[in-house]
Amino acid sequence: MKPHILLFLKAPRPGFVKTRLAKDGGDEKACQVYRQLVRLTLSQIPKDWPTTIFFAPEEARPEMM
């Protein structure tokens, strides 16, 4: 039986993700790091495992594609 992956993400917006990291490197850099970490996470999930992605805020769908 394959696991079903549930991934909870924030919209990649400067100033809203990796805020502690942003204190030293700035909002834009922290957002870049966040995007890289999400890509890395997604690349580690086997393609044949069912995956559901939840994100906030709800109106961020275009940013999440």
Side-chain angles (χ1 to χ4, degrees):
M1 178 189 223
K2 296 173 189 169
H4 188 118
I5 304 297
L6 302 177
L7 194 58
F8 295 85
L9 302 173
K10 291 181 181 179
R13 296 177 178 171
F16 293 97
V17 295
K18 297 291 176 203
T19 54
R20 287 181 285 176
L21 183 62
K23 289 178 185 173
D24 291 329
D27 291 339
E28 290 293 332
K29 184 65 175 174
C31 190
Q32 289 174 3
V33 169
Y34 178 75
R35 286 176 181 272
Q36 291 172 346
L37 289 171
V38 169
R39 282 189 207 105
L40 177 62
T41 299
L42 290 170
S43 75
Q44 299 303 307
I45 300 171
K47 300 295 183 213
D48 62 334
W49 286 11
T51 304
T52 302
I53 298 174
F54 297 93
F55 56 87
E58 192 173 327
E59 70 273 2
R61 180 170 298 280
E63 296 170 71
M64 302 304 291
M65 298 301 173

Short mmCIF file of all heavy atoms in Angstrom, two decimals:
data_model
loop_
_atom_site.label_atom_id
_atom_site.label_comp_id
_atom_site.label_asym_id
_atom_site.label_seq_id
_atom_site.Cartn_x
_atom_site.Cartn_y
_atom_site.Cartn_z
N MET A 1 0.84 -1.18 0.00
CA MET A 1 0.00 0.00 0.00
C MET A 1 0.89 1.25 0.00
O MET A 1 1.80 1.38 0.81
CB MET A 1 -0.90 -0.01 1.23
CG MET A 1 -1.78 1.18 1.35
SD MET A 1 -2.60 1.17 2.94
CE MET A 1 -4.21 1.63 2.51
N LYS A 2 0.63 2.16 -0.92
CA LYS A 2 1.41 3.39 -1.01
C LYS A 2 0.82 4.44 -0.07
O LYS A 2 -0.39 4.53 0.09
CB LYS A 2 1.36 3.93 -2.43
CG LYS A 2 2.00 3.04 -3.43
CD LYS A 2 1.78 3.55 -4.83
CE LYS A 2 2.24 2.49 -5.81
NZ LYS A 2 1.84 2.78 -7.16
N PRO A 3 1.69 5.24 0.53
CA PRO A 3 1.16 6.31 1.38
C PRO A 3 0.55 7.41 0.53
O PRO A 3 0.87 7.56 -0.65
CB PRO A 3 2.40 6.83 2.11
CG PRO A 3 3.54 6.47 1.22
CD PRO A 3 3.14 5.21 0.51
N HIS A 4 -0.33 8.15 1.12
CA HIS A 4 -0.89 9.34 0.47
C HIS A 4 -0.24 10.54 1.13
O HIS A 4 -0.35 10.74 2.33
CB HIS A 4 -2.41 9.40 0.63
CG HIS A 4 -3.03 10.49 -0.18
ND1 HIS A 4 -3.93 10.23 -1.17
CD2 HIS A 4 -2.87 11.82 -0.17
CE1 HIS A 4 -4.30 11.36 -1.73
NE2 HIS A 4 -3.67 12.35 -1.14
N ILE A 5 0.48 11.33 0.34
CA ILE A 5 1.22 12.48 0.86
C ILE A 5 0.30 13.69 0.92
O ILE A 5 -0.37 14.02 -0.06
CB ILE A 5 2.44 12.80 -0.03
CG1 ILE A 5 3.35 11.59 -0.17
CG2 ILE A 5 3.19 14.02 0.48
CD1 ILE A 5 3.97 11.12 1.10
N LEU A 6 0.27 14.35 2.06
CA LEU A 6 -0.43 15.62 2.22
C LEU A 6 0.63 16.68 2.45
O LEU A 6 1.42 16.59 3.39
CB LEU A 6 -1.38 15.58 3.42
CG LEU A 6 -2.45 14.50 3.40
CD1 LEU A 6 -3.27 14.54 4.68
CD2 LEU A 6 -3.34 14.64 2.18
N LEU A 7 0.66 17.67 1.58
CA LEU A 7 1.68 18.71 1.67
C LEU A 7 0.98 20.05 1.92
O LEU A 7 0.07 20.42 1.18
CB LEU A 7 2.46 18.75 0.35
CG LEU A 7 3.75 19.52 0.31
CD1 LEU A 7 4.74 19.02 1.34
CD2 LEU A 7 4.37 19.41 -1.08
N PHE A 8 1.38 20.73 2.98
CA PHE A 8 0.79 22.01 3.35
C PHE A 8 1.81 23.11 3.07
O PHE A 8 2.90 23.10 3.63
CB PHE A 8 0.41 22.00 4.84
CG PHE A 8 -0.67 21.00 5.15
CD1 PHE A 8 -0.35 19.67 5.41
CD2 PHE A 8 -2.00 21.38 5.17
CE1 PHE A 8 -1.34 18.74 5.69
CE2 PHE A 8 -3.00 20.46 5.44
CZ PHE A 8 -2.66 19.13 5.70
N LEU A 9 1.44 24.05 2.20
CA LEU A 9 2.36 25.09 1.77
C LEU A 9 1.74 26.47 1.94
O LEU A 9 0.52 26.61 1.99
CB LEU A 9 2.71 24.90 0.29
CG LEU A 9 3.33 23.57 -0.11
CD1 LEU A 9 3.44 23.48 -1.62
CD2 LEU A 9 4.68 23.41 0.54
N LYS A 10 2.61 27.46 1.98
CA LYS A 10 2.19 28.86 1.93
C LYS A 10 2.49 29.37 0.52
O LYS A 10 3.41 28.89 -0.14
CB LYS A 10 2.99 29.72 2.91
CG LYS A 10 2.71 29.45 4.35
CD LYS A 10 3.54 30.41 5.19
CE LYS A 10 3.35 30.19 6.66
NZ LYS A 10 4.18 31.11 7.46
N ALA A 11 1.74 30.35 0.09
CA ALA A 11 2.06 31.00 -1.18
C ALA A 11 3.45 31.61 -1.05
O ALA A 11 3.79 32.18 -0.01
CB ALA A 11 1.04 32.08 -1.51
N PRO A 12 4.29 31.47 -2.07
CA PRO A 12 5.67 31.97 -1.99
C PRO A 12 5.73 33.49 -2.15
O PRO A 12 6.05 34.01 -3.21
CB PRO A 12 6.37 31.25 -3.13
CG PRO A 12 5.28 30.99 -4.13
CD PRO A 12 4.03 30.77 -3.32
N ARG A 13 5.40 34.19 -1.10
CA ARG A 13 5.36 35.65 -1.13
C ARG A 13 6.44 36.20 -0.20
O ARG A 13 6.50 35.84 0.98
CB ARG A 13 4.00 36.15 -0.66
CG ARG A 13 2.87 35.74 -1.57
CD ARG A 13 1.54 36.20 -1.04
NE ARG A 13 0.47 35.84 -1.97
CZ ARG A 13 -0.81 35.96 -1.69
NH1 ARG A 13 -1.19 36.44 -0.52
NH2 ARG A 13 -1.72 35.62 -2.58
N PRO A 14 7.29 37.09 -0.72
CA PRO A 14 8.29 37.71 0.14
C PRO A 14 7.62 38.39 1.33
O PRO A 14 6.60 39.06 1.19
CB PRO A 14 8.95 38.76 -0.78
CG PRO A 14 8.73 38.22 -2.17
CD PRO A 14 7.38 37.55 -2.12
N GLY A 15 8.19 38.15 2.49
CA GLY A 15 7.64 38.73 3.71
C GLY A 15 6.67 37.82 4.44
O GLY A 15 6.28 38.09 5.57
N PHE A 16 6.29 36.70 3.81
CA PHE A 16 5.34 35.78 4.43
C PHE A 16 5.89 34.38 4.62
O PHE A 16 5.28 33.57 5.31
CB PHE A 16 4.05 35.71 3.59
CG PHE A 16 3.29 37.00 3.60
CD1 PHE A 16 3.43 37.91 2.58
CD2 PHE A 16 2.43 37.31 4.65
CE1 PHE A 16 2.74 39.11 2.59
CE2 PHE A 16 1.74 38.51 4.68
CZ PHE A 16 1.89 39.41 3.64
N VAL A 17 7.01 34.08 3.98
CA VAL A 17 7.62 32.75 4.13
C VAL A 17 9.05 32.92 4.64
O VAL A 17 9.73 33.89 4.34
CB VAL A 17 7.62 31.95 2.81
CG1 VAL A 17 6.20 31.63 2.38
CG2 VAL A 17 8.33 32.69 1.69
N LYS A 18 9.47 31.97 5.45
CA LYS A 18 10.83 31.96 6.01
C LYS A 18 11.19 33.31 6.64
O LYS A 18 12.26 33.87 6.40
CB LYS A 18 11.85 31.58 4.93
CG LYS A 18 11.64 30.19 4.39
CD LYS A 18 11.97 29.19 5.46
CE LYS A 18 11.71 27.76 5.05
NZ LYS A 18 11.52 26.92 6.21
N THR A 19 10.29 33.81 7.46
CA THR A 19 10.46 35.15 8.03
C THR A 19 11.66 35.25 8.98
O THR A 19 12.31 36.29 9.03
CB THR A 19 9.19 35.61 8.75
OG1 THR A 19 8.79 34.63 9.72
CG2 THR A 19 8.05 35.80 7.74
N ARG A 20 11.96 34.19 9.70
CA ARG A 20 13.14 34.25 10.58
C ARG A 20 14.42 34.31 9.76
O ARG A 20 15.36 35.03 10.09
CB ARG A 20 13.16 33.06 11.54
CG ARG A 20 12.11 33.21 12.65
CD ARG A 20 12.16 32.06 13.60
NE ARG A 20 11.55 30.91 12.92
CZ ARG A 20 11.47 29.70 13.41
NH1 ARG A 20 11.99 29.42 14.60
NH2 ARG A 20 10.89 28.73 12.75
N LEU A 21 14.45 33.56 8.66
CA LEU A 21 15.60 33.60 7.76
C LEU A 21 15.72 34.98 7.11
O LEU A 21 16.82 35.49 6.90
CB LEU A 21 15.44 32.52 6.68
CG LEU A 21 16.56 32.35 5.68
CD1 LEU A 21 17.85 31.94 6.37
CD2 LEU A 21 16.17 31.33 4.63
N ALA A 22 14.60 35.59 6.82
CA ALA A 22 14.58 36.90 6.16
C ALA A 22 15.19 37.99 7.03
O ALA A 22 15.68 39.00 6.49
CB ALA A 22 13.14 37.28 5.79
N LYS A 23 15.20 37.82 8.32
CA LYS A 23 15.79 38.84 9.20
C LYS A 23 17.26 39.07 8.88
O LYS A 23 17.75 40.19 9.01
CB LYS A 23 15.62 38.44 10.67
CG LYS A 23 14.19 38.54 11.14
CD LYS A 23 14.05 38.10 12.57
CE LYS A 23 12.57 38.12 12.96
NZ LYS A 23 12.35 37.56 14.28
N ASP A 24 17.95 38.02 8.43
CA ASP A 24 19.36 38.15 8.09
C ASP A 24 19.61 38.35 6.59
O ASP A 24 20.51 39.08 6.21
CB ASP A 24 20.14 36.91 8.55
CG ASP A 24 20.23 36.81 10.06
OD1 ASP A 24 20.26 37.86 10.73
OD2 ASP A 24 20.24 35.68 10.57
N GLY A 25 18.79 37.69 5.76
CA GLY A 25 19.07 37.72 4.32
C GLY A 25 18.10 38.52 3.48
O GLY A 25 18.30 38.66 2.28
N GLY A 26 17.04 39.00 4.08
CA GLY A 26 16.04 39.77 3.33
C GLY A 26 14.88 38.91 2.85
O GLY A 26 15.00 37.69 2.72
N ASP A 27 13.76 39.56 2.61
CA ASP A 27 12.53 38.86 2.23
C ASP A 27 12.65 38.14 0.89
O ASP A 27 12.17 37.01 0.75
CB ASP A 27 11.36 39.85 2.16
CG ASP A 27 10.95 40.36 3.53
OD1 ASP A 27 11.25 39.71 4.55
OD2 ASP A 27 10.31 41.44 3.57
N GLU A 28 13.26 38.77 -0.10
CA GLU A 28 13.37 38.15 -1.43
C GLU A 28 14.22 36.89 -1.38
O GLU A 28 13.87 35.87 -1.98
CB GLU A 28 13.95 39.14 -2.44
CG GLU A 28 13.02 40.27 -2.81
CD GLU A 28 11.79 39.81 -3.58
OE1 GLU A 28 11.85 38.79 -4.29
OE2 GLU A 28 10.75 40.49 -3.47
N LYS A 29 15.34 36.95 -0.69
CA LYS A 29 16.24 35.79 -0.58
C LYS A 29 15.54 34.66 0.17
O LYS A 29 15.63 33.49 -0.23
CB LYS A 29 17.54 36.20 0.12
CG LYS A 29 18.55 35.08 0.19
CD LYS A 29 19.04 34.69 -1.19
CE LYS A 29 20.14 33.66 -1.08
NZ LYS A 29 20.54 33.15 -2.39
N ALA A 30 14.84 35.01 1.24
CA ALA A 30 14.13 33.99 2.01
C ALA A 30 13.06 33.32 1.15
O ALA A 30 12.85 32.10 1.23
CB ALA A 30 13.51 34.61 3.25
N CYS A 31 12.39 34.09 0.31
CA CYS A 31 11.37 33.53 -0.58
C CYS A 31 12.02 32.59 -1.61
O CYS A 31 11.47 31.54 -1.93
CB CYS A 31 10.60 34.65 -1.26
SG CYS A 31 9.14 34.08 -2.15
N GLN A 32 13.18 32.96 -2.11
CA GLN A 32 13.91 32.08 -3.05
C GLN A 32 14.26 30.75 -2.37
O GLN A 32 14.12 29.68 -2.97
CB GLN A 32 15.18 32.76 -3.53
CG GLN A 32 14.96 33.90 -4.47
CD GLN A 32 16.26 34.63 -4.81
OE1 GLN A 32 17.34 34.23 -4.39
NE2 GLN A 32 16.15 35.69 -5.59
N VAL A 33 14.72 30.83 -1.13
CA VAL A 33 15.05 29.62 -0.38
C VAL A 33 13.81 28.76 -0.20
O VAL A 33 13.84 27.54 -0.39
CB VAL A 33 15.68 29.97 0.99
CG1 VAL A 33 15.78 28.76 1.89
CG2 VAL A 33 17.04 30.62 0.80
N TYR A 34 12.69 29.39 0.14
CA TYR A 34 11.43 28.66 0.32
C TYR A 34 11.05 27.92 -0.97
O TYR A 34 10.71 26.74 -0.94
CB TYR A 34 10.32 29.63 0.73
CG TYR A 34 8.98 28.97 0.89
CD1 TYR A 34 8.70 28.19 2.01
CD2 TYR A 34 7.99 29.09 -0.07
CE1 TYR A 34 7.48 27.57 2.17
CE2 TYR A 34 6.77 28.49 0.07
CZ TYR A 34 6.51 27.72 1.19
OH TYR A 34 5.30 27.10 1.34
N ARG A 35 11.13 28.62 -2.10
CA ARG A 35 10.80 27.99 -3.38
C ARG A 35 11.71 26.79 -3.66
O ARG A 35 11.25 25.74 -4.12
CB ARG A 35 10.92 28.99 -4.52
CG ARG A 35 9.81 30.01 -4.57
CD ARG A 35 10.08 31.03 -5.70
NE ARG A 35 9.08 32.04 -5.78
CZ ARG A 35 7.95 31.95 -6.48
NH1 ARG A 35 7.70 30.86 -7.16
NH2 ARG A 35 7.09 32.94 -6.49
N GLN A 36 12.99 26.93 -3.36
CA GLN A 36 13.93 25.82 -3.58
C GLN A 36 13.59 24.64 -2.67
O GLN A 36 13.67 23.48 -3.10
CB GLN A 36 15.36 26.29 -3.34
CG GLN A 36 15.86 27.25 -4.39
CD GLN A 36 17.22 27.85 -4.04
OE1 GLN A 36 17.69 27.76 -2.91
NE2 GLN A 36 17.84 28.47 -5.02
N LEU A 37 13.24 24.92 -1.43
CA LEU A 37 12.89 23.85 -0.50
C LEU A 37 11.62 23.12 -0.93
O LEU A 37 11.54 21.89 -0.82
CB LEU A 37 12.74 24.40 0.91
CG LEU A 37 14.05 24.83 1.58
CD1 LEU A 37 13.75 25.58 2.89
CD2 LEU A 37 14.95 23.64 1.83
N VAL A 38 10.65 23.86 -1.44
CA VAL A 38 9.42 23.22 -1.94
C VAL A 38 9.75 22.34 -3.14
O VAL A 38 9.29 21.20 -3.23
CB VAL A 38 8.34 24.27 -2.27
CG1 VAL A 38 7.18 23.63 -3.03
CG2 VAL A 38 7.85 24.95 -1.00
N ARG A 39 10.54 22.86 -4.07
CA ARG A 39 10.94 22.06 -5.25
C ARG A 39 11.66 20.78 -4.82
O ARG A 39 11.39 19.70 -5.36
CB ARG A 39 11.83 22.86 -6.18
CG ARG A 39 11.08 23.82 -7.04
CD ARG A 39 12.01 24.44 -8.11
NE ARG A 39 11.51 25.74 -8.46
CZ ARG A 39 12.03 26.91 -8.09
NH1 ARG A 39 13.13 26.94 -7.37
NH2 ARG A 39 11.48 28.04 -8.44
N LEU A 40 12.57 20.91 -3.87
CA LEU A 40 13.30 19.74 -3.39
C LEU A 40 12.35 18.73 -2.75
O LEU A 40 12.44 17.53 -3.02
CB LEU A 40 14.37 20.17 -2.37
CG LEU A 40 15.17 19.05 -1.73
CD1 LEU A 40 15.96 18.28 -2.77
CD2 LEU A 40 16.10 19.60 -0.65
N THR A 41 11.44 19.21 -1.94
CA THR A 41 10.47 18.33 -1.29
C THR A 41 9.65 17.59 -2.34
O THR A 41 9.49 16.37 -2.28
CB THR A 41 9.55 19.13 -0.36
OG1 THR A 41 10.34 19.75 0.66
CG2 THR A 41 8.49 18.25 0.28
N LEU A 42 9.13 18.32 -3.32
CA LEU A 42 8.32 17.69 -4.36
C LEU A 42 9.12 16.67 -5.17
O LEU A 42 8.59 15.63 -5.56
CB LEU A 42 7.74 18.76 -5.29
CG LEU A 42 6.65 19.64 -4.68
CD1 LEU A 42 6.32 20.80 -5.60
CD2 LEU A 42 5.41 18.83 -4.36
N SER A 43 10.37 16.95 -5.40
CA SER A 43 11.20 16.03 -6.19
C SER A 43 11.48 14.71 -5.45
O SER A 43 11.82 13.72 -6.09
CB SER A 43 12.52 16.69 -6.58
OG SER A 43 13.41 16.77 -5.48
N GLN A 44 11.33 14.72 -4.15
CA GLN A 44 11.60 13.52 -3.35
C GLN A 44 10.39 12.60 -3.24
O GLN A 44 10.52 11.46 -2.77
CB GLN A 44 12.07 13.92 -1.95
CG GLN A 44 13.35 14.73 -1.94
CD GLN A 44 14.50 14.02 -2.61
OE1 GLN A 44 14.82 12.88 -2.27
NE2 GLN A 44 15.13 14.66 -3.57
N ILE A 45 9.22 13.06 -3.66
CA ILE A 45 8.02 12.24 -3.58
C ILE A 45 7.95 11.37 -4.83
O ILE A 45 7.95 11.90 -5.95
CB ILE A 45 6.76 13.12 -3.48
CG1 ILE A 45 6.83 14.01 -2.24
CG2 ILE A 45 5.50 12.26 -3.46
CD1 ILE A 45 5.75 15.07 -2.18
N PRO A 46 7.90 10.06 -4.66
CA PRO A 46 7.80 9.19 -5.84
C PRO A 46 6.57 9.55 -6.69
O PRO A 46 5.50 9.87 -6.16
CB PRO A 46 7.66 7.79 -5.24
CG PRO A 46 8.34 7.90 -3.91
CD PRO A 46 8.01 9.29 -3.42
N LYS A 47 6.75 9.54 -7.99
CA LYS A 47 5.70 9.98 -8.92
C LYS A 47 4.42 9.15 -8.81
O LYS A 47 3.35 9.63 -9.12
CB LYS A 47 6.21 9.92 -10.37
CG LYS A 47 7.41 10.79 -10.62
CD LYS A 47 7.08 12.26 -10.46
CE LYS A 47 8.31 13.09 -10.79
NZ LYS A 47 8.41 14.30 -10.03
N ASP A 48 4.54 7.90 -8.39
CA ASP A 48 3.35 7.05 -8.31
C ASP A 48 2.66 7.10 -6.95
O ASP A 48 1.70 6.38 -6.72
CB ASP A 48 3.70 5.61 -8.70
CG ASP A 48 4.72 4.98 -7.77
OD1 ASP A 48 5.53 5.72 -7.16
OD2 ASP A 48 4.73 3.74 -7.66
N TRP A 49 3.12 7.96 -6.04
CA TRP A 49 2.44 8.11 -4.75
C TRP A 49 1.38 9.20 -4.87
O TRP A 49 1.65 10.30 -5.38
CB TRP A 49 3.42 8.51 -3.65
CG TRP A 49 4.32 7.41 -3.19
CD1 TRP A 49 4.50 6.18 -3.77
CD2 TRP A 49 5.18 7.44 -2.06
NE1 TRP A 49 5.43 5.47 -3.07
CE2 TRP A 49 5.85 6.22 -2.01
CE3 TRP A 49 5.44 8.40 -1.10
CZ2 TRP A 49 6.77 5.91 -1.02
CZ3 TRP A 49 6.36 8.11 -0.11
CH2 TRP A 49 7.01 6.86 -0.07
N PRO A 50 0.18 8.93 -4.42
CA PRO A 50 -0.84 9.97 -4.45
C PRO A 50 -0.44 11.13 -3.55
O PRO A 50 0.05 10.93 -2.44
CB PRO A 50 -2.10 9.28 -3.94
CG PRO A 50 -1.71 7.92 -3.48
CD PRO A 50 -0.29 7.68 -3.86
N THR A 51 -0.62 12.34 -4.06
CA THR A 51 -0.19 13.54 -3.34
C THR A 51 -1.29 14.60 -3.44
O THR A 51 -1.81 14.85 -4.52
CB THR A 51 1.11 14.09 -3.94
OG1 THR A 51 2.10 13.07 -3.91
CG2 THR A 51 1.61 15.30 -3.17
N THR A 52 -1.60 15.20 -2.30
CA THR A 52 -2.54 16.31 -2.26
C THR A 52 -1.82 17.50 -1.67
O THR A 52 -1.17 17.39 -0.62
CB THR A 52 -3.78 15.97 -1.41
OG1 THR A 52 -4.40 14.80 -1.95
CG2 THR A 52 -4.77 17.12 -1.40
N ILE A 53 -1.92 18.64 -2.36
CA ILE A 53 -1.26 19.86 -1.89
C ILE A 53 -2.32 20.84 -1.42
O ILE A 53 -3.26 21.16 -2.16
CB ILE A 53 -0.39 20.48 -3.00
CG1 ILE A 53 0.71 19.51 -3.40
CG2 ILE A 53 0.19 21.82 -2.53
CD1 ILE A 53 1.55 19.95 -4.58
N PHE A 54 -2.17 21.29 -0.19
CA PHE A 54 -3.02 22.33 0.38
C PHE A 54 -2.17 23.60 0.49
O PHE A 54 -0.97 23.52 0.74
CB PHE A 54 -3.51 21.93 1.78
CG PHE A 54 -4.37 20.70 1.78
CD1 PHE A 54 -3.80 19.45 1.99
CD2 PHE A 54 -5.74 20.79 1.57
CE1 PHE A 54 -4.59 18.31 2.00
CE2 PHE A 54 -6.53 19.66 1.57
CZ PHE A 54 -5.96 18.41 1.78
N PHE A 55 -2.78 24.75 0.31
CA PHE A 55 -1.99 25.98 0.40
C PHE A 55 -2.83 27.11 0.96
O PHE A 55 -4.06 27.06 0.96
CB PHE A 55 -1.43 26.37 -0.98
CG PHE A 55 -2.48 26.53 -2.04
CD1 PHE A 55 -3.13 27.74 -2.23
CD2 PHE A 55 -2.81 25.46 -2.85
CE1 PHE A 55 -4.10 27.88 -3.20
CE2 PHE A 55 -3.77 25.60 -3.84
CZ PHE A 55 -4.42 26.80 -4.00
N ALA A 56 -2.13 28.11 1.42
CA ALA A 56 -2.77 29.31 1.98
C ALA A 56 -2.02 30.51 1.44
O ALA A 56 -0.82 30.45 1.21
CB ALA A 56 -2.72 29.29 3.50
N PRO A 57 -2.68 31.60 1.21
CA PRO A 57 -4.13 31.80 1.31
C PRO A 57 -4.83 31.15 0.12
O PRO A 57 -4.23 30.83 -0.90
CB PRO A 57 -4.30 33.32 1.29
CG PRO A 57 -3.11 33.82 0.56
CD PRO A 57 -1.99 32.85 0.86
N GLU A 58 -6.12 30.99 0.26
CA GLU A 58 -6.92 30.30 -0.73
C GLU A 58 -6.84 30.93 -2.12
O GLU A 58 -6.83 30.22 -3.13
CB GLU A 58 -8.38 30.26 -0.26
CG GLU A 58 -9.24 29.32 -1.04
CD GLU A 58 -10.62 29.18 -0.43
OE1 GLU A 58 -10.75 29.25 0.79
OE2 GLU A 58 -11.57 29.03 -1.22
N GLU A 59 -6.75 32.25 -2.19
CA GLU A 59 -6.73 32.92 -3.50
C GLU A 59 -5.36 32.86 -4.19
O GLU A 59 -5.18 33.43 -5.25
CB GLU A 59 -7.18 34.39 -3.37
CG GLU A 59 -6.19 35.27 -2.65
CD GLU A 59 -6.33 35.30 -1.13
OE1 GLU A 59 -7.18 34.60 -0.57
OE2 GLU A 59 -5.55 36.02 -0.52
N ALA A 60 -4.43 32.13 -3.62
CA ALA A 60 -3.07 32.05 -4.17
C ALA A 60 -2.91 30.98 -5.25
O ALA A 60 -1.79 30.73 -5.69
CB ALA A 60 -2.08 31.79 -3.05
N ARG A 61 -3.98 30.38 -5.71
CA ARG A 61 -3.88 29.29 -6.70
C ARG A 61 -2.95 29.63 -7.87
O ARG A 61 -2.08 28.83 -8.21
CB ARG A 61 -5.26 28.89 -7.21
CG ARG A 61 -5.22 27.78 -8.24
CD ARG A 61 -6.59 27.22 -8.55
NE ARG A 61 -7.24 26.62 -7.39
CZ ARG A 61 -6.98 25.40 -6.95
NH1 ARG A 61 -6.10 24.64 -7.54
NH2 ARG A 61 -7.62 24.93 -5.88
N PRO A 62 -3.05 30.80 -8.51
CA PRO A 62 -2.15 31.09 -9.64
C PRO A 62 -0.66 31.07 -9.25
O PRO A 62 0.19 30.67 -10.04
CB PRO A 62 -2.55 32.50 -10.10
CG PRO A 62 -3.96 32.66 -9.61
CD PRO A 62 -4.04 31.87 -8.33
N GLU A 63 -0.37 31.47 -8.03
CA GLU A 63 1.03 31.47 -7.56
C GLU A 63 1.54 30.07 -7.28
O GLU A 63 2.74 29.84 -7.26
CB GLU A 63 1.14 32.28 -6.27
CG GLU A 63 0.81 33.74 -6.43
CD GLU A 63 0.70 34.42 -5.09
OE1 GLU A 63 1.74 34.61 -4.42
OE2 GLU A 63 -0.44 34.74 -4.69
N MET A 64 0.64 29.14 -7.07
CA MET A 64 1.03 27.80 -6.65
C MET A 64 1.22 26.86 -7.84
O MET A 64 1.64 25.73 -7.67
CB MET A 64 -0.02 27.22 -5.70
CG MET A 64 -0.24 28.06 -4.46
SD MET A 64 1.26 28.37 -3.50
CE MET A 64 1.62 26.75 -2.87
N MET A 65 0.94 27.32 -9.03
CA MET A 65 1.05 26.46 -10.21
C MET A 65 2.44 26.52 -10.79
O MET A 65 3.20 27.34 -10.69
CB MET A 65 0.04 26.85 -11.27
CG MET A 65 -1.38 26.69 -10.81
SD MET A 65 -1.66 25.00 -10.35
CE MET A 65 -3.26 25.08 -9.65
#
